[in-house]
Amino acid sequence: HPVLGGVILQFVAAFLGIGLLTFITLRNMEETKMIMANDDMDDETVPSLFYDNAGIFWSVWAGIAVGLAEMISFFVSGMGVQAMQSIP
C-alpha cells in the first residue's frame, strides 16, 4: 500500500534523527566534562542542546508538511500516475 511506504519512510527518518540527536548530546556532554575537568569548575549543570520554542514549533509544522506531501505523492503514484507528473 502506498501510504505504508510513507509511514515506513517517516519512521526511518525519525529513528535516524533520534540516533543523530543522541550522538550530538553524548558528544557535547563529554566535551563539557573535559572542559570542566581542565578548568576546575564546580559541577554545574550545562545544557548540552540549545533550542527555542519558535524553532521547535516550526520544525513540527515542517515535519507535518513534508510527511503529508510524501504520503500524498506515494498515494498518487500508487494510482498509476507517473512520478514525473505527480512529483513537482
Side-chain angles (χ1 to χ4, degrees), residues 3 5 8 16 20 23-24 28 30 34-35 44 47 50 56 61 67 73-74 77 79 83:
V3 175
I8 291 172
L16 286 174
L20 179 62
F23 173 75
I24 290 171
N28 287 346
E30 289 176 7
M34 288 174 44
I35 291 170
E44 298 176 5
F50 300 97
I56 300 294
W61 281 110
S73 71
F74 284 141
S77 296
M79 294 171 50

Side-chain angles (χ1 to χ4, degrees), residues 6-85:
V7 171
I8 291 172
L9 189 127
Q10 292 297 317
F11 275 113
V12 170
F15 288 134
L16 286 174
I18 290 169
L20 179 62
L21 185 63
T22 302
F23 173 75
I24 290 171
T25 302
L26 291 176
R27 189 184 71 191
N28 287 346
M29 286 174 52
E30 289 176 7
E31 290 176 1
T32 303
K33 287 179 185 177
M34 288 174 44
I35 291 170
M36 289 174 65
N38 291 337
D39 291 340
D40 295 327
M41 295 174 63
D42 294 331
D43 289 337
E44 298 176 5
T45 56
V46 178
S48 58
L49 288 176
F50 300 97
Y51 62 92
D52 63 347
N53 291 335
I56 300 294
F57 175 81
W58 289 112
S59 295
V60 168
W61 281 110
I64 290 170
V66 169
L68 285 174
E70 289 174 352
M71 286 191 273
I72 289 171
S73 71
F74 284 141
F75 183 75
V76 171
S77 296
M79 294 171 50
V81 178
Q82 294 180 359
M84 60 190 282
Q85 294 175 342

